[in-house]
Amino acid sequence: MTRIAFIADIHHGRDVMTKKSSLGLPLLARFADFVRQERPDIVIDLGDRISDENRERDLLLERQVAEAFKAIDVPVFHLNGNHDRDFLEVADNEQILGQSLGHQIVDLGEWQVILWRADTHIHRLETHSTFRLADGDLEWLAAQMKALLKPTVIATHVPLSGQSQTSNYYFENNPHIARYPETAEIQAVVRAAKVPVICISGHVHWNTLTFVDGIPHVTLQSLTETFTTMPEAAEAWGVLDLGDMVRWSAFGRQRFGFEVDAASTAQRWPQPHGNFHEMRRKAMAAAAL
Ligand SMILES: [Fe+2]
């Protein structure tokens, strides 16, 4: 059995909006205790380690989070979220965390993890804000998906499902920054996989499960978010147990989990049916000829 522990959207810093950012470090210390007890093979930090303010302050906050992660005694892999990139570069985060933050595959024996560290900087344009894949992000993922030989976990900061954001505190009115504009292209690439796949991400600050093409897409609640557990912080983290069955368990103030047959996640679903009304109209028009 392979076990991975996940933590998302720590948001260490000053309390902002519905985030209890001041609890980031104490809760991270509790996560380190949990990891010592549960003994996962690895830990994955899904990004947004800080609540950003300015470059100087963000460098300090990131260093404090990196220091706190040293209490974890299994290998830790980090992804950058948008808040790690508002005032900081990828290279700043690499230097602070002491690891490369490019795309990476982590081999765990029966299973492997793809850390798809696609660009998470939010571009603030005159008319709207948007994520934007960097040159080579999609091509790298496409090459991996075509060549997959073993069951795979895909970890990203931004969800790849394009799921509904109805009732999400941040994203109901900002759904375009809950996803990449290239979501359809990403999904076309991911569906090429002929092995079991599960996608795990952070960013949207709630616990969800959505299936796309037979592939489960999970989002993990933020460690310090309050909007789903008012007035307390969610204190969330997750554990993924990987075998013939895939089991997801999210801990904290909103327990959540599910199990799915790993083999079923290798089964792609057919292209959805065309528009019923359009097809009926065309058929009637053809019959009238
Ligand atoms: Fe976040």
Side-chain angles (χ1 to χ4, degrees):
M1 183 72 88
T2 303
R3 171 170 283 187
I4 305 172
F6 289 85
I7 193 159
D9 299 84
I10 296 164
H11 281 289
H12 166 52
R14 293 190 177 95
D15 291 352
V16 281
M17 296 170 86
T18 50
K19 303 180 188 98
K20 286 208 171 168
S21 292
S22 58
L23 293 180
L25 293 188
L27 290 174
L28 189 50
R30 278 181 39 199
F31 176 64
D33 290 341
F34 174 86
V35 168
R36 265 190 293 279
Q37 279 167 23
E38 296 297 320
R39 307 305 313 162
D41 298 280
I42 60 169
V43 164
I44 297 177
D45 151 34
L46 293 165
D48 275 4
R49 287 174 289 283
I50 62 166
S51 286
D52 68 274
E53 292 184 45
N54 57 58
R55 178 171 169 81
E56 200 185 338
R57 169 99 173 138
D58 290 6
L59 286 168
L60 172 69
L61 293 172
E62 294 279 8
R63 285 193 192 106
Q64 290 171 337
V65 176
E67 196 57 36
F69 265 107
K70 288 184 182 157
I72 292 176
D73 57 355
V74 302
V76 179
F77 297 87
H78 300 276
L79 288 88
N80 284 328
N82 46 297
H83 289 276
D84 306 308
R85 294 279 286 105
D86 272 321
F87 296 102
L88 304 179
E89 300 300 321
V90 173
D92 296 320
N93 285 284
E94 287 179 324
Q95 196 261 323
I96 290 167
L97 296 166
Q99 68 180 240
S100 160
L101 295 173
H103 304 308
Q104 186 178 356
I105 294 190
V106 181
D107 193 345
L108 297 174
E110 296 284 305
W111 283 73
Q112 65 180 4
V113 179
I114 289 182
L115 300 168
W116 192 45
R117 292 181 174 119
D119 196 1
T120 54
H121 180 66
I122 293 184
H123 301 262
R124 316 268 176 198
L125 309 177
E126 280 233 331
T127 49
H128 64 292
S129 298
T130 185
F131 287 108
R132 197 185 280 157
L133 292 181
D135 286 349
D137 279 343
L138 192 60
E139 293 73 10
W140 184 88
L141 186 64
Q144 307 313 315
M145 298 313 291
K146 272 189 217 144
L148 285 189
L149 294 176
K150 59 167 82 174
T152 299
V153 178
I154 302 176
T156 57
H157 178 69
V158 179
L160 308 183
S161 68
Q163 67 176 187
S164 164
Q165 297 299 321
T166 301
S167 81
N168 184 293
Y169 179 79
Y170 303 97
F171 296 108
E172 174 168 316
N173 296 311
N174 302 285
H176 52 285
I177 47 169
R179 52 190 281 171
Y180 284 105
E182 301 90 344
T183 294
E185 291 90 329
I186 296 166
Q187 290 175 355
V189 154
V190 171
R191 89 189 302 283
K194 295 184 171 59
V195 297
V197 176
I198 179 166
C199 298
I200 315 269
S201 60
H203 185 56
V204 283
H205 292 213
W206 61 4
N207 284 317
T208 66
L209 166 65
T210 310
F211 282 87
V212 178
D213 279 336
I215 296 170
H217 288 247
V218 178
T219 65
L220 172 60
Q221 173 60 290
S222 152
L223 183 65
T224 53
E225 179 58 56
T226 64
F227 96 75
T228 58
T229 50
M230 283 277 184
E232 308 296 339
E235 304 182 2
W237 51 71
V239 170
L240 189 61
D241 286 308
L242 298 161
D244 291 342
M245 295 297 288
V246 170
R247 188 186 319 120
W248 172 254
S249 313
F251 296 84
R253 289 184 189 272
Q254 186 200 24
R255 294 290 302 268
F256 169 69
F258 68 93
E259 265 189 314
V260 63
D261 185 347
S264 75
T265 72
Q267 171 85 52
R268 295 297 147 259
W269 295 348
Q271 196 64 33
H273 195 286
N275 179 281
F276 292 120
H277 182 80
E278 272 301 300
M279 293 178 82
R280 185 164 170 272
R281 201 181 52 79
K282 277 188 192 152
M284 284 170 71
L289 286 177

